[in-house]
Amino acid sequence: MRKSTLEEVAAAAGVSKMTASRALRGAADVSKETREKVLQQAERLSYVGNRLALSLSSQRTNLVAVVVPSMSNIVFPEMLAGISAGLRGSGMQAVFGISDYDMAKEREIIRDMLSWRPAAIIVTGLDQPAETVRMLQNAEIPVIQLMDLDGTPIDFNVGLSHGKAGEEMAKALLAAGRRRFGYIGSAIDRDLRAGKRRAGFEKVLRESGLSFVDERINAPYSSVAHGKRLSLSMLAATRDLDCIYYSNDDMATGGAFACLELGIASPTEILIAGFNGLDVASALPVRIATSISPRRQMGETAAALLLAVSSGDESRISEKIIAFTPEITGVG
């Protein structure tokens, strides 16, 4: 079956070939009415454009490169859903790579993605090594670093302070009367944002003359199963805790199951505290304290910022750093 051509789409829409091409790319100088007319004809004719040819002529594709550390935690799919929703109807398409919290792997993914000439790139966090930072600085496209504010951004930054989130959770738990804390985490040498939360939490404990009574940080990645296993280990060794702070809600959910298995009353005897505000934690038969991270909203905000930058209208960009504050729930 013969493929439809751009010339046929343009003729059917009653516009020039150049206008049809610009409409299909989502160019800002094409009216909404014209764009909708071209899109309707392209759909009717089952037209599929040649993005590779477009990239060669314009030096840019319509792709938005997104690099995340994991897809095993619902946090990052929700962030990606926010980015996709924010780009809908813009003519831009998000494509993503997964680094597995490996800086070397992240650098290679970014290098590969930049070779496809994306319109912009979104990366997670602010802790890329110098070589990766230089590569992003030299890319000559908008760079948005997402989900973290603790560091120096390359260009645009949307996120929250994880150090501050740890501090605020510790203050809330201390105000609720908790004094004997355990900590359970996973690979915080690679999950640097979890490490920042732990450092902020520990800072507040230290200022109050306290420290973690016991710690377990030997899980290779976060999961409910690892959270339960490490919690059972900790509670077998140290039963006089009144709170356990976890690197995230996945691990904290495992802690709640450990308490249920051991017959430990939670939250009256031991309060379980995590981070992210996942639905699974709120569905448990016991209460978990958590900091709710607005991950979908951060993704949508990053997409809106990207579209404002791409439009060339600087009046639409109110600030280059956009900060969110997580809400703490379940403490009292």
Side-chain angles (χ1 to χ4, degrees), residues 59-124:
Q59 301 300 306
R60 287 286 176 264
T61 65
N62 70 328
L63 302 178
V64 176
V66 185
V67 185
V68 296
S70 171
M71 289 292 281
S72 63
N73 188 314
I74 191 62
V75 169
F76 299 107
E78 287 186 359
M79 182 193 78
L80 289 171
I83 293 171
S84 296
L87 293 177
R88 190 173 298 129
S90 70
M92 291 187 175
Q93 177 65 51
V95 293
F96 65 90
I98 304 170
S99 69
D100 296 318
Y101 291 101
D102 184 323
M103 291 293 188
K105 184 175 180 180
E106 180 186 62
R107 183 170 61 252
E108 291 311 306
I109 290 171
I110 290 172
R111 190 189 308 280
D112 286 345
M113 285 185 156
L114 291 178
S115 74
W116 285 92
R117 300 173 180 171
I121 186 165
I122 299 173
V123 296
T124 309

Side-chain angles (χ1 to χ4, degrees), residues 10-322:
V15 300
S16 69
K17 179 181 175 182
M18 181 177 294
T19 298
S21 175
R22 294 183 63 77
L24 291 170
R25 296 203 313 268
D29 59 351
V30 177
S31 71
K32 181 180 178 181
E33 180 183 358
T34 298
R35 182 168 184 270
E36 288 179 353
K37 187 163 53 175
V38 171
L39 289 174
Q40 286 173 0
Q41 294 304 321
E43 183 175 356
R44 183 180 69 82
L45 294 169
S46 300
Y47 172 73
V48 178
N50 187 339
R51 291 294 185 184
L52 180 58
L54 274 175
S55 70
L56 290 173
S57 62
S58 67
Q59 301 300 306
R60 287 286 176 264
T61 65
N62 70 328
L63 302 178
V64 176
V66 185
V67 185
V68 296
S70 171
M71 289 292 281
S72 63
N73 188 314
I74 191 62
V75 169
F76 299 107
E78 287 186 359
M79 182 193 78
L80 289 171
I83 293 171
S84 296
L87 293 177
R88 190 173 298 129
S90 70
M92 291 187 175
Q93 177 65 51
V95 293
F96 65 90
I98 304 170
S99 69
D100 296 318
Y101 291 101
D102 184 323
M103 291 293 188
K105 184 175 180 180
E106 180 186 62
R107 183 170 61 252
E108 291 311 306
I109 290 171
I110 290 172
R111 190 189 308 280
D112 286 345
M113 285 185 156
L114 291 178
S115 74
W116 285 92
R117 300 173 180 171
I121 186 165
I122 299 173
V123 296
T124 309
L126 294 164
D127 299 291
Q128 289 78 22
E131 182 182 343
T132 304
V133 170
R134 285 194 298 272
M135 186 163 50
L136 289 168
Q137 289 171 333
N138 294 334
E140 298 183 339
I141 57 173
V143 176
I144 301 178
Q145 287 164 290
L146 197 57
M147 300 192 82
D148 193 3
L149 297 178
D150 300 323
T152 303
I154 295 168
D155 193 2
F156 297 94
N157 190 194
V158 178
L160 59 90
S161 169
H162 289 265
K164 186 71 171 177
E167 291 180 21
E168 293 303 315
M169 178 57 83
K171 290 176 183 177
L173 293 169
L174 287 169
R178 305 292 169 165
R179 289 295 181 273
R180 292 186 59 78
F181 296 91
Y183 178 80
I184 291 178
S186 61
I188 60 173
D189 58 325
R190 292 186 294 126
D191 185 354
L192 301 180
R193 287 171 294 284
K196 291 173 182 179
R197 294 194 296 272
R198 180 192 176 282
F201 194 102
E202 191 172 35
K203 173 177 175 286
V204 171
L205 292 187
R206 192 165 52 248
E207 290 170 349
S208 301
L210 301 172
S211 61
F212 289 119
V213 177
D214 197 355
E215 296 183 66
R216 297 287 190 279
I217 316 176
N218 60 352
Y221 55 87
S222 76
S223 72
V224 174
H226 286 314
K228 180 180 179 182
R229 175 177 60 81
L230 294 178
S231 298
L232 290 172
S233 171
M234 177 177 286
L235 293 169
T238 312
R239 286 299 294 264
D240 60 342
L241 301 170
D242 59 19
C243 182
I244 304 177
Y245 183 49
Y246 292 79
S247 55
N248 59 35
D249 282 357
D250 281 353
M251 301 289 280
T253 298
F257 283 125
C259 287
L260 287 169
E261 183 172 307
L262 296 173
I264 297 174
S266 179
T268 53
E269 187 176 350
I270 295 181
L271 177 60
I272 302 298
F275 178 83
N276 273 322
L278 300 185
D279 287 344
V280 64
S282 63
L284 288 168
V286 298
R287 187 179 82 234
I288 285 181
T290 190
S291 304
I292 302 174
S293 62
R295 46 209 174 266
R296 183 183 175 96
Q297 189 178 356
M298 285 190 282
E300 291 174 345
T301 300
L305 181 57
L306 168 59
L307 294 179
V309 174
S310 300
S311 73
D313 183 0
E314 293 187 4
S315 65
R316 292 174 59 188
I317 306 170
S318 58
E319 50 193 337
K320 297 189 75 170
I321 299 176
I322 301 174

